Amino acid sequence: MEKTIALIRGDGISPEIVGAALDVLNAVEKKYGHTFHYVEAPVGGDAIDRFGVPLPEESLKACKEADAALMGAIGGPKWDSQPPENRPERGLLNLRNGMGLYANVRPIRIFPELACDCPLREDIASEGIDFVIVRELIGGAYFGEHKTVERDGELYASDIMGYSEHEIRRIARVAFDMAMKRRKKVTSVDKANVLDTSRLWRKTVEEVAKEYPEVELNHMYVDNCSMQIIKHPGQFDVILTENLFGDILSDEASQITGSIGMIPSSSLGEGNHGLYEPIHGSAPKHAGLNDANPIGTILSAAMMLRYSLDMDKEADAIEQAVADVLKDGWRCQDILHEGEQLLGCKEMGQKVAEKIV
């Protein structure tokens, strides 16, 4: 099988972690007889330095035409002086919008070998943490009207959080479809006691739920959900929520898995066309030191194989290889404990690639 993958190498440590993921994908090619064609697509600070804008038209075109896109983190203090419309983060938002990526999927899972790194009490962590956050990605407050005006002698700012029924319906179906492949439970998170958008959200989600009679649906206010993720994370299977709430909850949830360097994510559109990236930042102070953890990026590549390239066996092989490396006691600096064996970023990628057999 031949597939084309757009590569966004990113900023800071990102070229290193993307390189480690490519070592693993090369091992998958050899093991399963595939051919991956890579197309470079600069985005973020790298694109600003080279082309003056955070999302060149050619990069967007490459990502839209490829079968999937694999991305490292972007941004950093170097570009803080850029105007808001030309910051690296704006390139990412425009990329998601341009590719029509409305669903962010973030697995929250703790490997048994990393349970000691979970900041929660041992009895809570030992129950098992394995859920998915499905976040709407191109609507809500981040994409609504932003306005600052002078009113009554002072500045007044507003940001519009808006959602239409079809936007809610399509993201809800992503969550319910995912629940059907897991433990068949969806927790829809909103603030329906205060917000009109949340009341429409809840009404529409309940309508979609009728299409999935096997899936249990419950609703939870966002403030309660933020507490429950810490108090009893084992209760969740699939969490469904809007853009702003999902941004906050997914970052909170990432902290209970042992290390932010372990977590992958995908952003999906129609036909499972997707963008895959780790959730951590570009960590420019660590660039070139070979001490970053590439596992989040490697697992993002596994998600890419599963969701966009229809390669379930290959995705399973990568996930199992990561688990085997951890069982063997190999660690990157962020998850290292006494008695374990330290690997650099490149060496971790090579060690995982060796397990693809």
Side-chain angles (χ1 to χ4, degrees):
M1 190 178 294
E2 294 191 25
K3 296 291 183 181
T4 299
I5 299 169
L7 278 186
I8 303 169
R9 295 188 184 269
D11 306 317
I13 61 171
S14 294
E16 300 166 61
I17 58 176
V18 170
L22 291 180
D23 286 342
V24 175
L25 288 173
N26 290 340
V28 169
E29 280 186 292
K30 294 175 184 176
K31 167 66 177 177
Y32 293 93
H34 301 310
T35 301
F36 298 139
H37 302 286
Y38 298 105
V39 179
E40 299 289 336
V43 177
D46 174 44
I48 293 171
D49 289 347
R50 294 165 62 183
F51 304 102
V53 293
L55 178 62
E57 291 184 10
E58 285 302 310
S59 294
L60 177 58
K61 182 174 183 288
C63 290
K64 291 173 71 172
E65 292 180 352
D67 294 296
L70 181 64
M71 177 178 178
I74 63 169
K78 178 180 178 181
W79 301 281
D80 282 350
S81 61
Q82 290 287 325
E85 67 275 8
N86 207 58
R87 290 178 63 90
E89 296 79 7
R90 178 51 57 181
L92 177 57
L93 291 174
N94 290 343
L95 178 62
R96 289 169 175 169
N97 198 33
M99 293 179 69
L101 306 178
Y102 60 83
N104 181 254
V105 178
R106 186 178 293 189
I108 305 297
R109 174 191 174 196
I110 189 164
F111 287 86
E113 293 78 15
L114 301 183
C116 61
D117 291 306
C118 178
L120 303 181
R121 288 200 322 259
E122 183 179 353
D123 60 309
I124 297 175
S126 64
E127 291 181 358
I129 298 171
D130 182 7
F131 61 93
V132 176
I133 297 177
V134 177
R135 164 193 169 193
E136 201 287 324
L137 202 57
I138 56 175
Y142 292 171
F143 286 86
E145 180 187 20
H146 309 290
K147 185 168 61 176
T148 301
V149 298
E150 187 171 336
R151 192 173 77 177
D152 298 328
E154 63 179 353
L155 292 178
Y156 172 84
S158 63
D159 301 281
I160 303 299
M161 176 191 287
Y163 274 104
S164 63
E165 289 179 285
H166 84 271
E167 290 175 310
I168 301 168
R169 192 172 290 113
R170 68 185 180 184
I171 189 65
R173 289 197 175 105
V174 172
F176 280 92
D177 286 340
M178 190 156 295
M180 286 292 293
K181 298 178 182 179
R182 291 174 52 88
R183 301 191 299 276
K184 299 183 179 179
K185 180 179 179 180
V186 170
T187 302
S188 180
V189 176
D190 58 39
K191 194 64 175 170
N193 57 335
V194 176
L195 301 175
D196 272 9
T197 49
S198 284
R199 284 188 275 273
L200 178 62
W201 182 279
R202 183 171 293 207
K203 173 180 176 292
T204 307
V205 169
E206 288 178 346
E207 292 171 356
V208 173
K210 295 175 183 177
E211 304 170 17
Y212 299 84
E214 296 178 58
V215 177
E216 174 190 350
L217 169 66
N218 63 78
H219 301 282
M220 190 174 288
Y221 294 145
V222 63
D223 43 354
N224 185 29
C225 184
S226 69
M227 292 186 287
Q228 294 298 324
I229 285 174
I230 300 301
K231 182 179 179 181
H232 183 25
Q235 69 183 285
F236 295 114
D237 181 21
V238 176
I239 293 176
L240 164 66
T241 193
E242 63 88 47
N243 203 347
L244 175 60
F245 297 160
D247 190 7
I248 297 168
L249 292 177
S250 57
D251 279 353
E252 177 198 17
S254 73
Q255 295 303 304
I256 66 176
T257 63
S259 170
I260 197 171
M262 298 291 298
I263 304 177
S265 75
S266 64
S267 300
L268 303 174
E270 298 298 335
N272 288 332
H273 191 220
L275 173 68
Y276 299 84
E277 58 182 315
I279 71 164
H280 59 73
S282 62
K285 291 182 180 179
H286 291 265
L289 299 181
N290 193 40
D291 63 358
N293 185 346
I295 291 179
T297 312
I298 292 169
L299 292 175
S300 296
M303 292 182 74
M304 177 181 71
L305 297 183
R306 188 181 307 281
Y307 292 130
S308 287
L309 305 188
D310 196 26
M311 298 181 181
D312 285 347
K313 288 188 302 182
E314 294 86 338
D316 289 342
I318 292 178
E319 291 168 356
Q320 186 59 53
V322 169
D324 289 343
V325 167
L326 294 176
K327 287 177 185 176
D328 289 346
W330 297 102
R331 300 288 189 272
C332 288
Q333 184 174 328
D334 60 321
I335 51 175
L336 181 69
H337 295 281
E338 187 176 349
E340 297 168 341
Q341 304 169 86
L342 176 65
L343 290 177
C345 177
K346 182 175 180 59
E347 292 72 27
M348 177 59 81
Q350 293 171 340
K351 186 66 68 173
V352 174
E354 290 171 7
K355 296 288 187 178
I356 306 291
V357 295

